[in-house]
Amino acid sequence: MRILMTTDTVGGVWTYTRELATGLLQRGCTVILISVGASPDTAQQTWIEQTSELWPQHIRYLRTDFKLEWMQDGGSCYEDSKIFLLQCIKAFQADLLHSNQFCYGALPVEIPKVVVAHSDVHSWAETCDVAAATPSPWLNGYDAVVGAGIRGADAIIAPTRWMADQIVRFYHPTLEIEVIANGRSLPCIKRSPKKMQAVSCGRLWDKAKNVQLLGQFTPPLPIKLAGDLLGPESTQYVEMQTVTSLRRLTESELLKLFEESAIYIVTSCYEPFGLSGVEAALCGCAVVANDIPSIREVWGSNAIYFERNNAESLRLVLEGLCQDQAAVEQAAAKALAHVTKLYSAECMTTAYMHLYGKLCQRAVPCAS
């Protein structure tokens, strides 16, 4: 099967793409990977080169600088990239389009089109109480390209039922949205002695990550934050005295931080899935999480929750864990068992292969 997959290089979408593309290659598929938005960083470029060496006949990577839908100057993203993508689909004789952007579901092609809803502006703005979803020419353009992509898709996927419900609320698709959880694999983890410290990571400037919650109390243990400090349009993370703010770490640096930390804190008020928490659990962290519906869906009883957006509740949870090492170890073991069972890259790849097979059978026989 020849799969043309679009992606971007920002955060969890790239990690998801890398895991899925690798799984598909391992199962004999050919992947044509096209990135939009920012150029790949050094680590991402290294993965591309290494993967191309492993499967030289089965992967092709193309970098573009087409805008992303949610960017303020992204209104013409679909029209700007449409001809290029149609040419790629024809040139590579793709059997299926897997788009990690909404808009490409509208491409006028006969092959099946899968659109994955990782997040969207309306659900983000509503949850974070920001003005991004205030009616404007930019938002009208965003809604137009997103809506057309959703209407044109042959399958719409979300990583959680919560995210699927948001797409139904705001865009009213005619298709039933399927849920395929994100998956993550890690190399064999070298178990290091744990420090009684907590860690969190992400786009620190983004209100969705809600990291300012950590500045509202004096923590009973050291807390380290890793991630981008500066966002688009000069949005900036405000330093807090109660935590240690680190720069954006490389993947290996971040995993090392997880390996040496006892607790991972999910502060997010908006989190359609949350791959970082899965990574932390795979590294042996207990997961302490904001009690929001999407996180409850992902973790069930395998995380320790604090009251939604309540700093004092978080402080009390951390204080209790500091006094009970056995509880921390038990929580870490539960989190690890949970993600190993449900959120492996293998499980995710299997689900997508099954989906692709169904779609291709409805269309035309796939090339071998």
Side-chain angles (χ1 to χ4, degrees):
M1 185 181 297
R2 298 175 63 83
I3 301 155
L4 189 143
M5 185 180 298
T6 68
T7 188
D8 69 69
T9 57
V10 181
V13 174
W14 177 265
T15 304
Y16 157 92
T17 301
R18 186 184 66 192
E19 293 285 354
L20 180 56
T22 300
L24 295 172
L25 290 165
Q26 290 171 340
R27 299 191 186 204
C29 296
T30 295
V31 178
I32 301 94
L33 183 61
I34 300 176
S35 68
V36 295
S39 298
D41 61 24
T42 301
Q44 292 166 339
Q45 188 62 45
T46 298
W47 174 80
I48 293 164
E49 293 169 359
Q50 292 174 343
T51 304
S52 297
E53 291 176 1
L54 283 172
W55 292 282
Q57 303 301 318
H58 294 279
I59 186 165
R60 177 78 181 273
Y61 170 71
L62 300 174
R63 179 187 65 81
T64 75
D65 57 2
F66 298 122
K67 300 298 183 182
L68 297 167
E69 301 147 330
W70 52 265
M71 293 178 171
Q72 288 294 322
D73 55 354
S76 62
C77 62
Y78 174 72
E79 290 300 327
D80 291 344
S81 56
K82 174 181 175 181
I83 299 302
F84 173 79
L85 286 168
L86 289 174
Q87 290 173 341
C88 290
I89 289 170
K90 182 178 180 179
F92 292 112
Q93 299 180 318
D95 298 309
L96 179 139
L97 169 67
H98 177 122
S99 178
N100 289 302
Q101 288 70 42
F102 290 106
C103 63
Y104 300 129
L107 286 172
V109 292
E110 294 182 358
I111 62 173
K113 295 172 288 184
V114 176
V115 168
V116 182
H118 294 282
S119 64
D120 85 290
V121 166
H122 284 282
S123 60
W124 172 81
E126 181 183 74
T127 304
C128 300
D129 192 26
V130 298
T134 301
S136 67
W138 165 78
L139 186 61
N140 292 340
Y142 172 86
D143 284 343
V145 296
V146 170
I150 288 174
R151 290 190 298 273
D154 295 292
I156 307 168
I157 306 301
T160 53
R161 177 51 54 189
W162 181 87
M163 189 66 235
D165 290 344
Q166 306 314 302
I167 299 303
V168 171
R169 285 180 59 212
F170 291 111
Y171 300 102
H172 314 293
T174 56
L175 296 176
E176 181 178 351
I177 300 177
E178 299 183 49
V179 174
I180 298 178
N182 293 344
R184 189 71 169 96
S185 62
L186 290 179
C188 184
I189 299 298
K190 180 181 178 181
R191 298 298 178 192
S192 309
K194 291 285 188 180
K195 299 176 184 177
M196 184 49 74
Q197 67 181 24
V199 61
S200 193
C201 69
R203 298 180 298 272
L204 304 186
W205 52 268
D206 187 347
K207 287 188 177 182
K209 298 307 177 185
N210 200 26
V211 295
Q212 295 300 325
L213 193 70
L214 300 171
Q216 299 175 20
F217 63 95
T218 301
L221 78 173
I223 298 178
K224 295 185 177 183
L225 280 175
D228 292 318
L229 305 179
L230 185 64
E233 301 177 12
S234 301
T235 308
Q236 191 164 2
Y237 161 72
V238 178
E239 293 279 350
M240 297 178 289
Q241 298 298 317
T242 53
V243 302
T244 301
S245 299
L246 307 173
R247 58 181 170 81
R248 180 183 179 182
L249 302 180
T250 65
E251 181 174 87
S252 59
E253 290 172 335
L254 185 60
L255 294 178
K256 186 176 186 300
L257 181 60
F258 290 163
E259 289 168 19
E260 67 184 24
S261 302
I263 297 168
Y264 182 82
I265 305 175
V266 183
T267 55
S268 302
C269 60
Y270 176 79
E271 191 65 85
F273 184 82
L275 269 174
S276 294
V278 173
E279 293 173 335
L282 288 170
C283 291
C285 294
V287 176
V288 172
N290 198 8
D291 196 355
I292 60 175
S294 59
I295 295 300
R296 276 278 180 182
E297 180 182 343
V298 170
W299 290 96
S301 62
N302 301 285
I304 300 170
Y305 298 95
F306 58 92
E307 293 178 17
R308 187 181 304 188
N309 300 331
N310 188 314
E312 176 61 13
S313 176
L314 173 56
R315 186 191 69 79
L316 290 173
V317 168
L318 294 175
E319 189 175 83
L321 291 173
C322 285
Q323 298 169 1
D324 192 345
Q325 181 65 35
V328 175
E329 294 174 357
Q330 182 181 24
K334 285 184 65 177
L336 175 59
H338 180 64
V339 298
T340 301
K341 179 180 179 181
L342 295 184
Y343 305 132
S344 69
E346 183 177 1
C347 286
M348 177 178 67
T349 304
T350 297
Y352 276 106
M353 287 291 291
H354 180 67
L355 171 69
Y356 297 163
K358 288 194 303 181
L359 291 173
C360 286
Q361 285 174 3
R362 292 179 203 164
V364 294
C366 296
S368 58

